Amino acid sequence: MFRFPLFILITLIVAFGGGIMISLYALDATQGFGAIKLGAWEAFPALQTVDADPYAKSHRARAGKLLYGSAEGLTFTASVDDEGARLNAGCRYRISGQTPPARLWTLFTADNGGNPAAVKTGLPAALNSWTVLRQPDSSFAIEISAVAQPGNWLALPQAGTFRLVLTLFDTPTAGSSGVIDLAMPKLTKTGCGNA
């Protein structure tokens, strides 16, 4: 007598519970479609725009991220170096070269979820285009390590993997189809441990 309603109840719980879990997994697994990769840097040009696909819009809404206009900003992330090795706080890295044209850019270390990394208070966890020291040709070199370095230095958390987030604001490249031709700064590993 109660077998049939119990069977329907279990079926509904599995269907709705499974659907919710798969949807949450899909939102965490991807930021959307249309990714471009330039060396170590990866970007989703349509992610922050109104024209983003439904998964990208849901991912952005769940993360509470701002919506940029089509030419207001473009965010690049790097979770590997130029050789393809995962970024690790036990190693030291150097970003060198120039960024694409932008009125302002910011660079910060982030955890694997894209949130700013937890570094010790008072250490530089972010840099921007106004504070970075440049060479006469407008290029720069930024040292990234857990131990203080001379010149431009970005602090790392004490351990674990991390990613770098470079956001270009008010850039002509965000609204164009020429994003694939951009020259991004190089991200190289300079050593690990005490070596």
Side-chain angles (χ1 to χ4, degrees):
M1 176 177 185
F2 291 111
R3 268 193 303 187
F4 189 68
L6 183 62
F7 176 72
I8 291 176
L9 179 66
I10 290 173
T11 303
L12 290 174
I13 289 173
V14 169
F16 284 112
I20 290 170
M21 295 302 291
I22 289 171
S23 297
L24 291 175
Y25 174 75
L27 289 177
D28 288 338
T30 182
Q31 294 185 17
F33 303 105
I36 59 164
K37 190 150 177 72
L38 303 169
W41 303 97
E42 182 178 38
F44 294 85
L47 177 66
Q48 299 291 338
T49 66
V50 177
D51 299 328
D53 62 87
Y55 284 105
K57 289 179 182 178
S58 299
H59 188 273
R60 185 183 63 233
R62 187 164 185 243
K65 295 189 176 176
L66 294 174
L67 175 65
Y68 298 134
S70 61
E72 287 181 348
L74 184 59
T75 300
F76 288 89
T77 59
S79 54
V80 296
D81 61 19
D82 282 343
E83 301 296 320
R86 185 75 173 97
L87 297 179
N88 190 319
C91 297
R92 295 178 307 282
Y93 300 91
R94 177 178 295 126
I95 295 177
S96 58
Q98 295 181 354
T99 62
R103 186 176 304 267
L104 173 73
W105 57 260
T106 61
L107 174 70
F108 67 92
T109 55
D111 60 18
N112 293 319
N115 303 312
V119 297
K120 290 183 180 178
T121 305
L123 297 182
L127 290 171
N128 63 55
S129 56
W130 293 350
T131 60
V132 71
L133 302 172
R134 297 178 183 270
Q135 299 296 327
D137 65 351
S138 192
S139 66
F140 57 84
I142 301 172
E143 302 296 328
I144 305 168
S145 70
V147 180
Q149 301 291 319
N152 296 315
W153 170 54
L154 197 59
L156 290 177
Q158 292 300 316
T161 58
F162 68 96
R163 64 175 56 173
L164 295 167
V165 179
L166 173 67
T167 305
L168 306 173
F169 293 101
D170 197 12
T171 175
T173 58
S176 69
S177 60
V179 175
I180 199 77
D181 298 328
L182 294 178
M184 295 297 291
K186 297 190 181 313
L187 175 56
T188 55
K189 184 188 300 183
T190 57
C192 288
N194 294 326

